[in-house]
Amino acid sequence: MKIVAKVSIEQVEVAGKRVLVRADLNVPLADGVVQDDTRIRGVLPTIKNLLERGACVILVSHLGRPKGKVVPELRLDPVAEHLSKLLGRPVRKLDQVVGEEVEKAVAESKAGEVLLLENVRFEPGEEKNDPELAARLARLADLFVNDAFGTAHRAHASTAGVAKHIPAVAGLLMIKEIEALTRCLEQPGRPLVAILGGAKVSDKIGVLRRFMQLADTLLVGGGMANTLLAAKGYDLGDSFYEAESLDLAKTLLEESGQSRCRLELPVDLLIAQELKPNASYQVVSPEAVPAGWKAVDIGPETVKEYSKAVAAAGMVVWNGPLGVFEVPPFHQGTEGVARAVAESRAYSVVGGGDVVAALEKLGLADKISFISTGGGATLEFWEGKELPGIAVLQEKTS
Ligand code: ADP
Ligand code: MG
C-alpha cells in the first residue's frame, strides 16, 4: 500500500456544517453501565474540535454484534449518557439509525449540538455496505469524518459507503493512528524490535512476514511460538499449536534464514497440565515438554533474552500476548517483557485487543508511546493492506 497523508478535520471548514462522525464507541457494558470508557475518550478531541469550530456533530457507531437486528441491550443510551458527562453538555440520543425521525431531529439541530444515532449495526445494510443505507446516512450531513480506526478495515455503510456521497476527511484519532503506525513502517528507529505473540500464526502471517523484512529482531511468543517450535520438530506435548499451519510455519522459518532479521523463539517455556488459575507449573526447555503438559507462557530465561533485545531497541512494535496472560501465573512472560518495553526509551507501539488488555491490567499502558485502538485494523495496516475506511478519505494534495 502506498501510504498517503489524509486531510484532517483541521484542514476543512466546519462552521455551520452538520458533520457525521463515525466513532468507535463499542465499549464494554454491564447492567447498562459503561465499564471501560477508553474508546469514548479517544474520540473526544475530534468532537470538541468540531463543536468549538461551530459544527453540529452527529455521531454514528456500532456496539457489539446485533447482526442487523434491534437488540435492546445493545442500544447506545448508556454510551450517550457517559459521553454527555465527559463532554459536559447534552448528547441527544436517537432511537433509530436513519429514517424520518432522525431526519427531523437532524433538521432541528444547531451548531454546537451533539446527536448520537442508534447502534448502526441494527441496520441489516450496515455490514453489507448497502448503498441505500450509505446514501441515507450521507443525507444527514454535509461532511463525513471517520475517527473509528478500529473498524477502518471493514467496508461498511458507515465506514466507507457514506463517503461516496459527501466529502470525507479523517478525525484527529484517525490521523494519530495513521501517523504512528506509518512511522513504524517508514521511519523505524533502529534496531527495530518486533514482538509477536497471540494464538495463531495463520491470523498474523502477513504481519510476521512484513516485520521479518523490516525489523532487525523478531521476538516470538505465545501459541504462535508453539507452532514455529513444532515446525522445527519439537514435540510440545499437549501444547496448543496449529497443526494445519505447520507447512506455513516451515516456510516462514526458511524465509527467516534468508532474511537479515534475527528471529528468536523461546529458549524455555512454562508448562502446565491444567489451564486454571494458580495451577502448578514447571519451566523446561522446548525439547523437554512431557506428554500431558502444555506450554502456556515463555519462561524466565526467554524473558531475560527478549528484555535484553528490547533494552537495546530504537523502536519496539508489539502485537499479541506471549502467554495465556488471562490465567495467572501465566501472565508472567507478557509482564516481564512489558516491563522491559515500559522501561525502554525506544518509541513503542502496541496494537491488538488482547495485548492491550494485558498492558492495561498490568498498569503499564501509559508507559507505551502509542497504543493503537485497532486489533484487526492495526494488523492489516502493518501488513500493507488498503483499509477501506481510510481509502475513502480525501488525500492531501501538497
Ligand atoms: P491480540 O488480540 O493481542 O492480537 P490474539 O488475539 O492473537 O492477540 O491472541 C490472544 C490469545 O492468545 C489470548 O487469549 C491468549 O490466552 C492466547 N495465547 C497466548 N499464548 C498462548 C499459548 N501458549 N497457548 C494457548 N493460547 C495462548
Ligand atoms: Mg485478540
Side-chain angles (χ1 to χ4, degrees):
M1 177 182 62
K2 190 165 81 27
I3 298 167
V4 287
K6 295 292 176 175
V7 174
S8 96
I9 53 168
E10 288 179 304
Q11 283 124 24
V12 292
E13 189 52 66
V14 299
K17 289 192 180 165
R18 297 207 165 86
V19 183
L20 181 72
V21 178
R22 177 56 160 101
D24 181 359
L25 305 176
N26 182 28
V27 293
L29 293 180
D31 297 324
V33 179
V34 174
Q35 301 298 299
D36 176 351
D37 66 358
T38 311
R39 286 179 175 162
I40 304 180
R41 280 186 284 110
V43 71
L44 286 179
T46 293
I47 300 175
K48 286 182 178 164
N49 178 293
L50 292 169
L51 292 174
E52 277 160 20
R53 294 166 58 215
C56 164
V57 173
I58 305 159
L59 292 163
V60 57
S61 174
H62 74 284
L63 176 68
R65 299 183 170 183
K67 303 214 159 116
K69 290 194 184 73
V70 175
V71 176
E73 308 84 74
L74 295 178
R75 287 194 181 275
L76 283 171
D77 299 65
V79 172
E81 202 176 303
H82 195 93
L83 172 63
S84 167
K85 272 188 213 142
L86 294 178
L87 278 174
R89 61 168 93 202
V91 172
R92 182 166 178 196
K93 160 71 180 37
L94 305 176
D95 294 330
Q96 271 95 40
V97 180
V98 287
E100 250 172 63
E101 265 174 62
V102 173
E103 279 168 30
K104 191 166 154 269
V106 166
E108 286 164 12
S109 65
K110 293 182 195 68
E113 289 184 356
V114 185
L115 281 68
L116 173 61
L117 306 182
E118 188 53 276
N119 188 343
V120 69
R121 288 195 189 164
F122 285 0
E123 285 290 331
E126 164 64 359
E127 293 184 75
K128 294 180 196 137
N129 196 6
D130 171 38
E132 176 56 30
L133 177 62
R136 293 175 87 187
L137 283 168
R139 231 180 284 144
L140 302 174
D142 309 302
L143 176 70
F144 173 65
V145 171
N146 196 356
D147 213 22
F149 177 75
T151 46
H153 59 316
R154 307 281 182 221
H156 292 170
S158 73
T159 62
V162 61
K164 285 213 170 77
H165 307 277
I166 47 177
V169 300
L172 300 176
L173 177 63
M174 180 68 88
I175 292 284
K176 266 170 62 180
E177 288 277 0
I178 295 173
E179 283 176 358
L181 301 181
T182 302
R183 180 169 165 184
C184 306
L185 302 177
E186 297 196 335
Q187 296 154 313
R190 298 290 178 187
L192 172 61
V193 174
I195 308 169
L196 287 178
K200 296 177 176 178
V201 172
S202 55
D203 281 352
K204 305 194 171 172
I205 177 76
V207 164
L208 244 162
R209 284 211 161 105
R210 187 75 192 259
F211 283 118
M212 217 143 75
Q213 290 163 1
L214 264 179
D216 300 283
T217 307
L218 189 54
L219 310 173
V220 185
M224 182 183 277
N226 291 351
T227 305
L228 288 168
L229 288 168
K232 285 187 107 169
Y234 293 105
D235 178 354
L236 293 183
D238 282 1
S239 299
F240 165 83
Y241 75 95
E242 279 178 290
E244 66 281 10
S245 296
L246 281 180
D247 285 340
L248 179 65
K250 281 184 192 148
T251 311
L252 281 169
L253 289 169
E254 275 163 29
E255 285 172 19
S256 95
Q258 280 137 38
S259 119
R260 52 162 207 96
C261 171
R262 198 160 45 98
L263 174 73
E264 289 197 31
L265 293 174
V267 292
D268 60 349
L269 300 162
L270 285 197
I271 57 168
Q273 284 174 298
E274 279 181 299
L275 234 182
K276 62 170 199 209
N278 304 315
S280 60
Y281 64 88
Q282 294 180 24
V283 177
V284 298
S285 61
E287 63 272 7
V289 181
W293 291 71
K294 42 186 158 253
V296 288
D297 198 3
I298 57 172
E301 199 53 45
T302 307
V303 171
K304 223 188 268 172
E305 292 279 317
Y306 286 10
S307 299
K308 221 192 290 170
V310 166
M315 185 186 271
V316 179
V317 297
W318 185 357
N319 168 266
L322 303 178
V324 185
F325 75 97
E326 302 96 326
V327 186
F330 310 126
H331 66 287
Q332 294 173 96
T334 303
E335 169 162 14
V337 175
R339 294 210 177 277
V341 178
E343 279 159 26
S344 144
R345 278 186 307 188
Y347 182 78
S348 51
V349 180
V350 179
D354 290 290
V355 69
V356 170
L359 286 167
E360 275 164 1
K361 217 161 133 188
L362 292 164
L364 294 173
D366 61 345
K367 298 279 195 326
I368 306 300
S369 313
F370 186 78
I371 299 252
S372 176
T373 52
T378 310
L379 290 174
E380 290 194 19
F381 194 98
W382 273 340
E383 272 178 55
K385 285 192 186 154
E386 184 176 82
L387 277 60
I390 295 180
V392 296
L393 305 178
Q394 282 177 18
E395 291 170 14
K396 274 189 183 161
T397 44
S398 65

